[in-house]
């Protein structure tokens, strides 16, 4: 049974990688923890998601495009926190280097600029994670205060071709635990800038 909504809004940004079909695990955990959840999908993630199950079981819809100007209406409330999971090589690189070519990237980029707590939980293989553009992207995001859960004691990249064998171990709970507690303010509990 879900706990009552505490009024805190979590935006879950889903990228097109192996764990994406299982994002309901994260949504369910967040709702039990008292978060209201909004889901935003990158274009590549849309095909991974079972939108009917997300709506029926968790009461959420996955949005992947900007709202058309003609539709009018109030803008969505800014989230109190953002989790990007699974976060792909492409999305991490684009986000760090300022590429804002999808609704999902726009949501995360604005959250970083607002100093909203952002947690990135990658799903990349070791060959991609070894590339200099990727390591620089991770450093850049951490320097802006983003928590990138990558490295010893967090999520370790898997060997190329072995991603399917890592799905059960994907640490959804770790992303939630990296968020600020309900007692403190989001900005006050923001992690210090720079890599740890």
């Amino acid at each position: 049974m879900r706990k009552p909504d505490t009024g805190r809004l979590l935006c879950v940004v889903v990228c097109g990688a192996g764990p994406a079909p299982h994002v309901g695990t994260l949504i369910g955990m967040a709702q039990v923890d008292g978060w209201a959840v909004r889901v935003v999908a990158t274009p590549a993630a849309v095909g991974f998601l079972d939108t009917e199950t997300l709506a029926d079981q968790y009461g959420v819809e996955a949005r992947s495009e900007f709202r058309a100007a003609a539709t009018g209406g109030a803008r969505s409330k800014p989230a109190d926190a953002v989790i990007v999971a699974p976060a792909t090589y492409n999305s991490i690189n684009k986000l760090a280097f300022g590429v804002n070519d999808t609704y999902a990237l726009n949501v995360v980029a604005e959250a970083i600029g607002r100093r909203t707590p952002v947690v990135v939980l990658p799903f990349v293989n070791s060959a991609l994670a070894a590339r200099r553009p990727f390591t620089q992207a991770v450093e850049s995001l951490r320097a802006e205060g983003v928590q990138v859960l990558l490295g010893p004691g967090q999520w370790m990249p898997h060997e190329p071709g072995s991603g399917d064998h890592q799905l059960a171990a994907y640490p959804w709970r770790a992303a939630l635990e990296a968020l600020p507690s309900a007692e403190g303010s989001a900005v006050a509990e923001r992690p210090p800038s720079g890599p740890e």
Side-chain angles (χ1 to χ4, degrees):
M1 180 178 287
R2 298 174 194 166
K3 287 184 183 176
D5 178 4
T6 62
R8 296 183 300 158
L9 176 61
L10 173 65
C11 181
V12 175
V13 176
V14 186
C15 304
H22 309 290
V23 72
T25 302
L26 175 60
I27 296 167
M29 289 176 178
Q31 289 176 334
V32 167
D33 285 354
W35 291 94
V37 180
R38 175 188 304 150
V39 175
V40 174
T42 65
V46 172
F48 285 77
L49 300 179
D50 182 344
T51 54
E52 288 185 14
T53 298
L54 292 180
D56 293 345
Q57 288 189 2
Y58 305 103
V60 299
E61 295 181 7
R63 183 172 168 191
S64 62
E65 297 180 356
F66 288 95
R67 182 188 61 189
T71 61
R75 292 178 57 88
S76 299
K77 172 191 170 200
D80 297 297
V82 176
I83 292 176
V84 186
T88 59
Y89 174 84
N90 278 348
S91 290
I92 290 169
N93 285 336
K94 284 183 172 185
L95 185 61
F97 295 111
V99 178
N100 191 17
D101 61 353
T102 67
Y103 177 65
L105 285 174
N106 184 75
V107 167
V108 185
E110 283 194 359
I112 295 169
R114 291 175 185 265
R115 298 195 52 78
T116 300
V118 176
V119 175
V120 173
L121 182 57
F123 191 80
V124 295
N125 69 44
S126 55
L128 294 175
R131 295 280 324 279
R132 181 175 294 181
F134 183 79
T135 59
Q136 289 175 335
V138 170
E139 289 173 7
S140 176
L141 290 172
R142 286 176 172 163
E144 288 195 84
V146 175
Q147 293 193 65
V148 183
L149 304 183
L150 180 72
Q154 297 179 318
W155 179 247
M156 294 297 291
H158 50 271
E159 289 300 311
S162 69
D164 289 347
H165 303 292
Q166 308 302 319
L167 299 181
Y170 192 65
W172 299 107
R173 171 56 66 185
L176 275 175
E177 290 175 350
L179 294 175
S181 66
E183 291 79 24
S185 72
V187 173
E189 296 199 13
R190 182 90 178 195
S193 5
E196 297 178 350

